[in-house]
Amino acid sequence: QVQVVESGGGLVQPGGSLTLSCVASGSIYAIYGMDWYRQAPGKQRELVAGITSGGRVNYADSVKGRFTISRDSARNTMYLQMNSLKAEDTAVYCCRMEVVATGGTPGVFASWGQGTQVTVSS
């Protein structure tokens, strides 16, 4: 009933920039936390950045100073601005949103997107 879709991935050279978007749709009353994860082949999934409903942000040390997370709660959207990209940033980036639905089972549940590929290579 709730769908989350990422976009904005692609191929970029080292030092370049990309902006990822994540949009949720469906029976949504509110979204609490919004988070970006990434996973490269053979590696564990990693929390890249998160933002609360109040705008508090958190970043992994590996991306701090290079990435910026933001959200537009009225449009159920979050963004990840990625600058100074490195080869080690190559991964599938997935969106996770903590959703309160307008109907059905009460409570908060996590909705995941399918992911968008980011490849940093020369």
Side-chain angles (χ1 to χ4, degrees):
Q1 194 170 18
V2 176
Q3 186 174 12
V4 176
V5 180
E6 305 97 335
S7 62
L11 175 64
V12 64
Q13 294 184 348
S17 298
L18 283 174
T19 299
L20 306 183
S21 299
C22 177
V23 181
S25 60
S27 301
I28 300 170
Y29 176 77
I31 302 176
Y32 290 169
M34 297 183 178
D35 306 295
W36 285 103
Y37 288 80
R38 68 184 181 187
Q39 187 170 25
K43 299 181 66 176
Q44 290 188 330
R45 186 173 59 192
E46 173 190 20
L47 177 63
V48 178
I51 184 168
T52 70
S53 59
R56 182 180 179 183
V57 300
N58 187 49
Y59 298 97
D61 288 341
S62 59
V63 307
K64 196 171 298 182
R66 300 187 297 119
F67 290 10
T68 303
I69 188 172
S70 61
R71 64 187 286 168
D72 185 346
S73 295
R75 294 175 172 81
N76 297 325
T77 303
M78 75 163 169
Y79 307 92
L80 186 67
Q81 176 66 51
M82 304 184 294
N83 299 322
S84 302
L85 283 162
K86 306 174 181 179
E88 51 262 44
D89 295 318
T90 297
V92 175
Y93 285 71
C94 294
C95 170
R96 177 184 183 270
M97 295 191 177
E98 297 174 333
V99 177
V100 179
T102 57
T105 304
V108 183
F109 63 94
S111 294
W112 289 85
Q114 294 181 343
T116 184
Q117 176 71 47
V118 173
T119 302
V120 185
S121 177
S122 60

